[in-house]
Amino acid sequence: MSAANYQQYDQIAVIGLNHPPLNSLGHELRIAIDALLQKGQDDPSIKAIIVMSQLDVFCAGADIREFGLPAAAMEPNLRTLIEHFEVSKKPVIAAIQGICAGGGLELAMAAHYRVAQSNTEFAFPEVKLGLLPGAGGTQKLPRAIGVESAIKLMINGNFVKGSELANTNLIDCIVDGNFLAKSIEFAKSIIIEHKPLKRLRDMQLAHIDFSIELAYFLKPYYKNAAHYPAPIAIIDSVKDAITESYEIGLQHERERFIELSNTSTSRALRHAFFAPRACQKIPGISATTPKKKINSVGIIGAGTMGTGIAINFLNANIKTIILDQLPTALDASLEKINKYYQDSVKKLRLTTSQIENSLGNLKTSSRYEDLRDVDLVIEAAYEDLELKKSIFKILDQVTSKDTILATNTSTLDINEIAACVSQPEQVVGLHFFSPANIMKLLEVVRANSTSDTVIATAFSLAKQIGKLPVLSGVCDGFIGNRMLEHYGRMARILVEEGALPWDVDKALEEWGMGMGPFRVFDLVGNDVAWAVRKRRYIEKPHIRYGKVADEICLLGRFGQKTNKGWYHYEIGSRDPVPDPEVEKIIIAYRKEHGISPRDFTAEDIVKRCIFALINEGARILEEGIALRASDIDVVYLTGYGFPRFRGGPMKYADELGLGNVIDELNTLYQESGDPFWRPAKILEEYAAAGKSLN
C-alpha cells in the first residue's frame, strides 16, 4: 500500500497521506508526497492541489524510527519538500485535521493556504527533545500567529486547538463537518477568485524592539532553565525572524538545530523519549502472548497506598474491592477516595457523571471470601514478610486458580511469597509508587515462577490504568529502592562526616534532582526507612548506614507527619525549614563517635550520591535484575525525580565516559575504604571494550 494516494475532483487534486499510525514524515512518505505533488503540477487540468490525511491525524512530525539514521536526510528531505510546496505554480492547500505537529506543521506552513477543523491540535514538540523546529518553523510561526504566541507555543511544546488560532495567518478557514467536500469548495474559491499564492515566508514582521525579558517566557516551563539551551535558541531564532531576512533566519535556525542536536541535554532528552518504548520489549513476550482480561480487582489494605492503588482502577472503570480487617481503615479510605473525586470536580478534571460511574464500581469488605471471583488481587499490607506470606496463604484458599496474585512490596523477596501458594506462576510484584494514583511508574517484578501470561497481562493492565511499567527481577529493593538505599546511605554519611542536611539537599537540587534526599525522607516518613535499616543492621552488619538518622527517629522526628524530621514544618505547611535542633543533634553525634567534621563542596556531595546510583545501577544490570540500562534510567526519571536533561543515572554515566566514572569510583574507594565503591565489573568490561551502557 502506498504511503499516499492521489484523487482528482474536477480541477482539484487531493493528495491523501496514508502512512499509519501517525503519518510520520519518513522517507517513504516524503517520496510519495513529492511524486504526487509533481503529478498534480504536470497535469494541465489540475488548477489546485489539496494535501490532507486519510487517517485521523494530519501529520505528527518526523519519523522517530529514522532519528540518527541516513534515511532522515535522504532526498527529498523535509526542507526540499517544503521548498517544492512553496515554489508550486498552482495553489497548494493544507487541509488539516487531528494532530499537526513538528515537521507536519512546518510542511503545512509551506502551503499557500490552510484550512483546519476547530479541534485540530497544533504543536512544535521539538523542545522536549532539546531541539528547535529545524525546517523553517521558527521563522514562519511568528509570521503566522505573532511573536509572543509563537515563542510560547515553541518553548512549551504543548498542543493548541485550531479554534484558538482561527484569527491568525496560520489558518485561512475553519472547516467542521463534510471536511473533504468543504476543503474542495475552498480550493475552488481560490481558483475562481484568482487568489494570489500566499507564502508565510514572504510576510514581513515589524522590526519591534525585542526587549521582553527571557525569564518571562522561560519561568513557567523550566525549573532549571540554564540546563535547557533549546528555549533560548528558539527565542534567538525568533529574534532573527524579526531582524533578519528569511534566508538568513533559516540559515541560523539550521545552525542552531545542528548545535543543539550535539548537546548533552538533547542526547539526554532523546534518550528519555525512546527509553520508555524500549521498556515494553520483553524477551519471550510478544503481541501474541496470551493475556488475561482484568475486569475486577481486589486490594488488600485500606491505607494510603491501597487507597491510591484503588483510585487507578476506579478511574479505569474496573470493579474494585478494598479489603481491610479494620472498619475504621475502610471508612478512612472511602473518605480519601470521595475527597479525591470532589477535588477532581472542582479542578474540572472529571465530570459528576464520570465520578458516579467510578464510585459505582467500588466496594469495601472485611471478608476474604468476597475476593473469590476477582481477576486480580493486589496485596498492599504493611511491609512485613511474614504478614504478607500469611495473606497469600489465605488467598490461595479463597481465590480461583486463574486469579493473578500481586504484592505491592517495595523490598521483600517475592519468591518467598510465591512459595506460599499452590500456583506460584500466578504471583507477580506490582510495585506502585506513592502517591499511587499520581505517580506513573510501576515496577513489574518477575519472580522465578511467574508466567509469561501474567507478565504480559501486567504490562497491558499498566497501560490501561495510565502507568509506565518497567520489568524487574527479584532482589532486595528491586531496581529503584535498591539503588535509592545507597543514594540515601551516602547522603546520611555525608551528614555524619561534616555536611548538613540542607547543604546536601541544596547541592543535589541545584544539580537537578527534583527533591533532595532529606526532604524525601521527611516526605515519606523517617520511620519507614528506620524500619528497613533495623532489618539491614542484622542482615548486612558490614555495611555502614549512617546512624545519626536513628537519633532523629528516637526523638519522634518522623518528618512532615509529625511536623519535624530533618527539617521543621509549620502546622499545615509542607515547606521545609532548617532546624537548629537538628544541627545540635548532628554535632552531638559526631562528638560522641569521635568524628572530626570536614568540609564538602557541592561537587563532592553530588559525586558521592549520584555515583552511588551509577555503581549500584551497574550491578543491577550486571546481575540481570534490569533488562537494559535504559530501563534503569526510566525508573529514575519517572519515579525518583532524576533530571530529564541528564537522561537518567546510566545515561549520565555514558555522558561522563565510563573510564572517568571508574576513576572516580576508585578514588572514592581509596578515600573511604568502603567496598561499595569498587567499580561494578560491567563498568570495567564495557569501558575496556569501548562500549557504553546504553
Side-chain angles (χ1 to χ4, degrees):
M1 184 178 68
S2 174
N5 54 54
Y6 183 96
Q7 291 179 292
Q8 184 171 345
Y9 298 86
D10 195 11
Q11 296 178 304
I12 311 298
V14 176
I15 298 173
L17 312 186
N18 191 21
H19 191 48
L22 298 171
N23 279 332
S24 298
L25 285 167
H27 189 233
E28 182 184 358
L29 181 56
R30 298 197 306 271
I31 288 176
I33 295 171
D34 202 40
L36 296 179
L37 181 69
Q38 190 61 48
K39 180 178 179 179
Q41 300 285 350
D42 294 341
D43 186 343
S45 69
I46 296 298
K47 304 302 181 185
I49 301 168
I50 294 174
V51 179
M52 64 187 307
S53 175
Q54 300 294 305
L55 309 178
D56 292 333
V57 300
F58 177 75
C59 177
D63 190 336
I64 61 174
R65 292 169 296 186
E66 291 185 356
F67 275 23
L69 299 177
M74 289 173 65
E75 293 288 358
N77 59 40
L78 179 56
R79 293 183 301 284
T80 299
L81 198 56
I82 286 171
E83 183 181 347
H84 290 173
F85 272 45
E86 291 176 333
V87 301
S88 169
K89 301 299 184 183
K90 300 175 182 180
V92 178
I93 300 102
I96 310 165
Q97 60 182 347
I99 291 172
C100 181
L105 179 49
E106 288 178 304
L107 188 65
M109 288 196 297
H112 302 110
Y113 293 91
R114 285 158 296 280
V115 299
Q117 294 181 328
S118 58
N119 63 352
T120 297
E121 294 188 285
F122 296 88
F124 272 123
E126 284 86 348
V127 71
K128 296 183 178 181
L129 299 180
L131 301 169
L132 49 60
T138 65
Q139 302 306 293
K140 287 177 183 159
L141 193 65
R143 292 168 160 88
I145 66 173
V147 170
E148 186 168 336
S149 295
I151 290 175
K152 287 182 177 179
L153 190 147
M154 287 188 283
I155 70 169
N156 67 36
N158 297 330
F159 283 94
V160 176
K161 294 282 188 183
S163 56
E164 298 178 44
L165 302 170
N167 296 315
T168 68
N169 292 316
L170 182 66
I171 300 176
D172 295 284
C173 182
I174 291 289
V175 175
D176 285 319
N178 300 315
F179 191 59
L180 174 60
K182 289 184 178 180
S183 297
I184 292 172
E185 184 180 323
F186 178 85
K188 287 181 177 178
S189 72
I190 292 172
I191 298 169
I192 293 168
E193 298 173 24
H194 301 288
K195 290 186 176 180
L197 301 181
K198 298 191 306 177
R199 300 197 306 177
L200 284 173
R201 63 177 292 167
D202 295 333
M203 291 182 59
Q204 295 299 311
L205 279 169
H207 282 244
I208 61 173
D209 180 16
F210 203 96
S211 60
I212 302 172
E213 288 292 328
L214 196 64
Y216 170 78
F217 291 109
L218 298 185
K219 189 175 180 181
Y221 309 110
Y222 297 94
K223 178 182 176 183
N224 295 287
H227 295 288
Y228 290 93
I232 297 170
I234 287 169
I235 292 173
D236 287 341
S237 289
V238 173
K239 288 181 181 178
D240 284 340
I242 297 168
T243 61
E244 305 286 355
S245 69
Y246 178 82
E247 289 76 14
I248 292 176
L250 195 65
Q251 178 186 336
H252 289 173
E253 176 194 82
R254 187 61 189 164
E255 291 168 354
R256 291 185 181 108
F257 182 90
I258 293 170
E259 183 179 343
L260 287 171
S261 67
N262 291 318
T263 62
S264 61
T265 294
S266 183
R267 288 194 295 269
L269 292 175
R270 296 198 305 268
H271 174 73
F273 177 80
F274 285 110
R277 289 154 177 78
C279 282
Q280 313 309 305
K281 298 174 183 177
I282 303 171
I285 293 178
S286 68
T288 60
T289 303
K291 302 181 189 68
K292 179 179 176 64
K293 177 67 175 174
I294 304 297
N295 296 309
S296 57
V297 60
I299 296 167
I300 299 174
T304 300
M305 183 59 74
T307 300
I309 293 172
I311 289 171
N312 291 295
F313 292 99
L314 294 173
N315 285 343
N317 292 317
I318 295 173
K319 294 185 183 301
T320 304
I321 300 173
I322 302 177
L323 183 145
D324 202 293
Q325 302 295 313
L326 295 174
T328 53
L330 291 173
D331 291 342
S333 179
L334 285 174
E335 185 177 340
K336 289 176 185 175
I337 291 172
N338 281 316
K339 185 179 186 305
Y340 163 81
Y341 282 119
Q342 288 167 7
D343 290 344
S344 296
V345 170
K346 291 176 184 176
K347 295 174 182 176
L348 303 178
R349 291 174 180 165
L350 294 170
T351 65
T352 303
S353 60
Q354 286 174 319
I355 290 173
E356 289 174 353
N357 190 46
S358 294
L359 291 176
N361 286 314
L362 176 63
K363 292 183 180 179
T364 61
S365 175
S366 59
R367 301 172 63 251
Y368 278 91
E369 289 77 8
D370 290 338
L371 304 180
R372 186 175 302 279
D373 298 321
V374 300
D375 299 312
L376 166 69
V377 176
I378 301 175
E379 166 272 311
Y382 185 72
E383 194 76 344
D384 178 272
L385 182 59
E386 293 307 315
L387 172 62
K388 291 179 186 289
K389 287 165 69 173
S390 67
I391 290 171
F392 272 74
K393 288 175 182 177
I394 297 171
L395 292 174
D396 191 43
Q397 298 299 314
V398 301
T399 58
S400 161
K401 65 176 183 176
D402 296 324
T403 302
I404 296 174
L405 304 178
T407 174
N408 181 56
T409 180
S410 57
T411 59
L412 300 176
D413 189 340
I414 297 176
N415 287 318
E416 281 198 51
I417 295 172
C420 296
V421 303
S422 56
Q423 292 180 292
E425 68 274 9
Q426 293 295 104
V427 176
V428 67
L430 293 180
H431 178 212
F432 290 79
F433 286 72
S434 184
N437 57 297
I438 295 174
M439 296 291 284
K440 290 186 69 67
L441 179 62
L442 178 66
E443 281 185 320
V444 177
V445 187
R446 184 171 207 160
N448 291 342
S449 301
T450 309
S451 73
D452 286 348
T453 291
V454 168
I455 295 298
T457 301
F459 270 69
S460 176
L461 180 64
K463 183 177 180 180
Q464 188 179 350
I465 63 174
K467 300 300 182 188
L468 176 55
V470 178
L471 188 70
S472 172
V474 175
C475 66
D476 197 338
F478 316 128
I479 296 172
N481 283 343
R482 174 171 160 179
M483 292 168 65
L484 185 69
E485 176 176 334
H486 293 286
Y487 173 80
R489 188 166 74 86
M490 294 308 161
R492 287 187 288 265
I493 290 173
L494 280 164
V495 166
E496 286 192 356
E497 292 184 350
L500 290 171
W502 29 95
D503 297 330
V504 174
D505 283 352
K506 181 183 179 184
L508 286 159
E509 287 170 11
E510 288 183 348
W511 185 80
M513 294 297 288
M515 188 180 290
F518 293 97
R519 289 182 61 196
V520 172
F521 296 152
D522 277 0
L523 175 65
V524 174
N526 291 310
D527 52 329
V528 175
W530 192 26
V532 174
R533 285 198 306 278
K534 289 175 183 176
R535 177 161 63 89
R536 295 287 192 270
Y537 295 156
I538 297 170
E539 296 170 349
K540 302 176 181 179
H542 59 287
I543 293 180
R544 179 183 175 189
Y545 278 95
K547 293 187 177 181
V548 70
D550 296 355
E551 300 296 323
I552 296 290
C553 291
L554 286 168
L555 294 171
R557 302 182 68 104
F558 295 147
Q560 291 184 12
K561 58 189 171 186
T562 58
N563 295 316
K564 55 184 180 179
W566 293 98
Y567 293 89
H568 171 76
Y569 301 86
E570 297 295 335
I571 295 175
S573 172
R574 293 191 173 191
D575 295 332
V577 179
D579 193 337
E581 289 301 315
V582 170
E583 189 169 354
K584 290 178 182 177
I585 294 167
I586 293 168
I587 291 171
Y589 180 89
R590 292 172 187 158
K591 186 175 181 180
E592 181 183 349
H593 292 83
I595 299 172
S596 299
R598 52 168 288 197
D599 292 330
F600 291 100
T601 66
E603 184 181 359
D604 293 333
I605 291 168
V606 168
K607 189 178 295 182
R608 280 216 202 178
C609 293
I610 301 303
F611 275 60
L613 291 178
I614 292 171
N615 207 27
E616 193 65 12
R619 292 189 178 110
I620 285 171
L621 186 63
E622 183 180 299
E623 295 168 18
I625 298 300
L627 287 177
R628 52 188 75 84
S630 62
D631 287 9
I632 297 171
D633 289 333
V634 169
V635 168
Y636 264 78
L637 290 169
T638 312
Y640 292 87
F642 202 92
R644 286 184 71 82
F645 64 83
R646 299 196 188 275
M650 313 317 285
K651 178 62 177 174
Y652 180 61
D654 286 339
E655 286 292 323
L656 292 173
L658 298 189
N660 294 327
V661 170
I662 290 168
D663 289 344
E664 292 290 356
L665 289 171
N666 281 324
T667 298
L668 288 167
Y669 173 56
Q670 291 163 9
E671 289 177 351
S672 68
D674 187 341
F676 169 80
W677 290 118
R678 286 183 177 138
K681 290 180 182 178
I682 196 171
L683 292 174
E684 295 177 329
E685 290 170 0
Y686 276 40
K691 295 167 59 178
S692 59
L693 294 170
N694 285 288

